[in-house]
Amino acid sequence: MFIRQCFKTVEGKRRAYWALVESVRTERGPRQNVVAWLGTLDEAGRLGVLQAARSQAVEEGISVARLGYSQQPLFEFEEEPTEPRWVRVDVNAVRVENSRAFGGPWLAMHLLEQLKLDEFLSKHMPQGKERVRWSLTSMILVIARLLDPSSELYVAEQWYRKTALPDLLGVPADRIDDNRLYRALDELLPHKEALEIHLKNRLGELFNLEYDLFLYDVTSTFFEGQCQRNPLAQRGYSRDQRSDCKQVCIALVVSRCGMPVGYEVFAGNRADVTTVKDIVQLMESRYGKSDRIWVMDRDMTSEDNLEFLRQENRRYSIGTNKAMLKKFEQELLKEDWSTIRDGIEVKLCKLPREEDSNDTASEVTETFILCRSRDRKEKDKAIVKRAADKIAERLDSMKARCEKQNRDPLTVSREIGRLLGQN
């Protein structure tokens, strides 16, 4: 921030004025904004500024000669001495207002450049008649999600104007509102598949990621309201314990290191087990049929899914139903377990499986991994013991009440039934 002399023609005469200006960074390079007009700034005022500048320069170790040279027209004065006019300010009584966060937004923009996300958005979302390009609005959404995840309303009304993004992107704060941010999501959605492919390829180039193993799972998110215009919003199994609300299911696929490679949204009443074929075929059509391993939990297990995964020699590691343990009773009793880390032991087993194909009996062998955990064993024992202690305590209380008064046997049996149901 510095003082600059400006000239203006008034009634045919060229008049000089002084302005306090600041340098700001914009998308078109450094620019100067006028903070305040100081008027003609007579000799006493200029000497006051000079004296204040010299005092500050001495404190900060700046050359006074250099200071005078950089603002030489400001400090020229007539031969007759003039008393300087200046005011001492108590800095402890000054507060900072309208501060802008710069480091986080600048780093986020640098990351987007490394991902070439700015080039992708400019290419796939060309500018039309809108005053602010959809590509810039999309970048604002990405940066806000990275630095301060919140609603679009909060971003528009509070967060954006408190950052340096208006200067870095060249988009004034009054041009950003929640409606524009929501519409940017609508404009971005048709490019979802191309965006996922671009990020997967670019991240693979930057970090040499491996995509030989995909982990797949499904979660859900619920809505408040009727959601009559959203056909995917349905009532189903709620992981948020909100069965009274409609929801959608979100299927996510990540790599070995947890890097997302794709997601899909399914109806809220769709079972997890019915999504496996769709996701596997979608990922293979998008990234090819490489020799990868699919990892899923037991919610994805069904005979149809296993048969589908065996096709074309797909490899998988999937949780099996607990009922399968009955087939490994003898293996469980043996002591040939291998310790993979403290408290966890595993062993590999084979389970022959006969299948008919073209009226020809063939044998398909799968490898099963039996796992047992000492910590989980102790946890299960503690859960059972806690439930047993509650039952015993309540039964003693019921016995004492029955000894004091005659109680209807049917009422007692109902109370015992509730007790067992709770524990």
Side-chain angles (χ1 to χ4, degrees):
M1 189 178 297
F2 57 93
I3 298 177
R4 186 181 68 190
Q5 192 175 28
C6 307
F7 296 93
K8 185 178 181 181
T9 301
V10 179
E11 297 180 355
K13 296 183 179 180
R14 189 167 180 262
R15 300 180 181 272
Y17 296 91
W18 295 93
L20 180 64
V21 300
E22 64 174 352
S23 295
V24 296
R25 185 190 302 271
T26 68
E27 62 177 355
R28 298 181 300 275
R31 294 293 185 271
Q32 295 177 357
N33 291 338
V34 176
V35 178
W37 291 100
L38 305 180
T40 56
L41 200 65
D42 57 8
E43 186 67 20
R46 291 197 295 273
L47 289 176
V49 174
L50 174 61
Q51 183 168 336
R54 283 178 173 174
S55 300
Q56 185 70 17
V58 172
E59 294 179 3
E60 299 181 1
I62 302 175
S63 172
V64 178
R66 177 184 173 187
L67 178 67
Y69 176 77
S70 61
Q71 296 266 358
Q72 185 174 2
L74 176 65
F75 303 129
E76 291 179 351
F77 49 88
E78 301 173 358
E79 296 181 358
E80 297 182 2
T82 304
E83 189 69 21
R85 184 177 70 250
W86 57 289
V87 178
R88 185 180 297 275
V89 178
D90 182 7
V91 295
N92 295 325
V94 178
R95 65 181 181 182
V96 178
E97 295 183 353
N98 196 25
S99 60
R100 303 284 187 88
F102 175 79
W106 180 86
L107 178 60
M109 291 186 60
H110 183 67
L111 293 176
L112 298 188
E113 292 175 0
Q114 291 295 316
L115 292 174
K116 296 184 178 180
L117 188 59
D118 53 342
E119 298 179 8
F120 174 88
L121 295 174
S122 299
K123 176 182 177 181
H124 288 78
M125 306 176 71
Q127 185 174 6
K129 296 182 179 180
E130 67 276 1
R131 299 179 65 182
V132 179
R133 300 198 305 269
W134 291 119
S135 58
L136 290 179
T137 309
S138 301
M139 289 182 62
I140 294 173
L141 288 170
V142 174
I143 295 173
R145 182 64 59 180
L146 175 65
L147 301 179
D148 189 7
S150 55
S151 66
E152 280 71 15
L153 181 62
Y154 175 81
V155 172
E157 294 187 349
Q158 299 187 44
W159 180 81
Y160 182 73
R161 62 186 69 252
K162 294 180 181 179
T163 69
L165 286 178
D167 296 326
L168 294 174
L169 296 177
V171 181
D174 57 1
R175 297 276 182 88
I176 297 299
D177 55 69
D178 57 328
N179 182 66
R180 180 181 296 273
L181 296 179
Y182 282 122
R183 297 292 75 78
L185 294 175
D186 296 335
E187 296 290 332
L188 189 59
L189 184 59
H191 310 291
K192 170 182 174 295
E193 181 176 350
L195 178 58
E196 291 177 353
I197 295 175
H198 169 81
L199 292 176
K200 181 259 184 185
N201 294 335
R202 184 56 183 159
L203 289 171
E205 296 172 358
L206 292 174
F207 302 106
N208 194 24
L209 300 180
E210 296 181 354
Y211 298 102
D212 59 339
L213 185 145
F214 279 176
L215 297 98
Y216 173 57
D217 202 1
V218 179
T219 186
S220 61
T221 183
F222 66 91
F223 305 100
E224 300 283 356
Q226 296 299 320
C227 301
Q228 296 178 355
R229 298 178 60 183
N230 186 354
L232 296 180
Q234 302 291 335
R235 286 186 173 86
Y237 170 68
S238 176
R239 298 162 179 81
D240 303 298
Q241 306 300 321
R242 289 301 303 271
S243 58
D244 59 315
C245 296
K246 291 184 178 181
Q247 65 176 19
V248 293
C249 294
I250 304 174
L252 177 65
V253 180
V254 300
S255 65
R256 180 193 298 267
C257 64
M259 190 67 68
V261 295
Y263 80 94
E264 290 296 322
V265 180
F266 295 110
N269 57 357
R270 186 165 179 178
D272 298 355
V273 70
T274 64
T275 64
V276 174
K277 294 182 181 180
D278 293 342
I279 289 297
V280 173
Q281 291 175 344
L282 179 63
M283 293 297 107
E284 289 179 347
S285 64
R286 188 173 298 175
Y287 305 123
K289 297 181 179 180
S290 62
D291 187 22
R292 65 171 57 95
I293 302 174
W294 285 91
V295 181
M296 311 174 195
D297 59 23
R298 63 166 51 96
D299 291 337
M300 310 295 179
T301 305
S302 72
E303 208 53 47
D304 291 340
N305 286 342
L306 293 179
E307 183 64 28
F308 167 74
L309 292 173
R310 295 189 191 105
Q311 297 174 2
E312 302 181 18
N313 296 322
R314 293 185 180 93
R315 297 195 295 168
Y316 57 89
S317 176
I318 186 169
T320 59
N321 297 323
K322 292 184 178 180
M324 289 287 293
L325 286 176
K326 294 180 180 180
K327 299 182 179 182
F328 297 96
E329 290 180 348
Q330 297 300 322
E331 296 292 338
L332 292 173
L333 296 176
K334 296 179 181 179
E335 295 300 328
D336 54 341
W337 294 80
S338 300
T339 301
I340 58 174
R341 68 170 184 261
D342 185 33
I344 297 183
E345 298 175 324
V346 300
K347 68 161 53 178
L348 301 181
C349 302
K350 298 290 184 179
L351 182 65
R353 176 187 178 89
E354 294 184 356
E355 294 186 353
D356 294 332
S357 177
N358 297 328
D359 298 330
T360 301
S362 62
E363 186 175 296
V364 178
T365 303
E366 291 180 319
T367 301
F368 287 80
I369 306 174
L370 302 182
C371 309
R372 66 183 185 186
S373 169
R374 183 182 62 227
D375 295 339
R376 180 57 185 264
K377 177 182 177 181
E378 296 300 324
K379 178 181 179 180
D380 289 345
K381 288 174 60 177
I383 292 175
V384 173
K385 183 178 183 302
R386 183 168 64 249
D389 291 343
K390 288 183 179 180
I391 293 175
E393 182 180 355
R394 288 283 301 276
L395 289 177
D396 291 340
S397 175
M398 292 172 60
K399 178 182 177 182
R401 292 200 306 270
C402 291
E403 291 176 348
K404 292 181 180 180
Q405 56 184 345
N406 294 327
R407 304 196 64 188
D408 181 20
L410 184 59
T411 302
V412 175
S413 65
R414 289 174 180 171
E415 188 174 352
I416 293 176
R418 287 194 298 269
L419 174 61
L420 294 178
Q422 295 171 358
N423 299 277

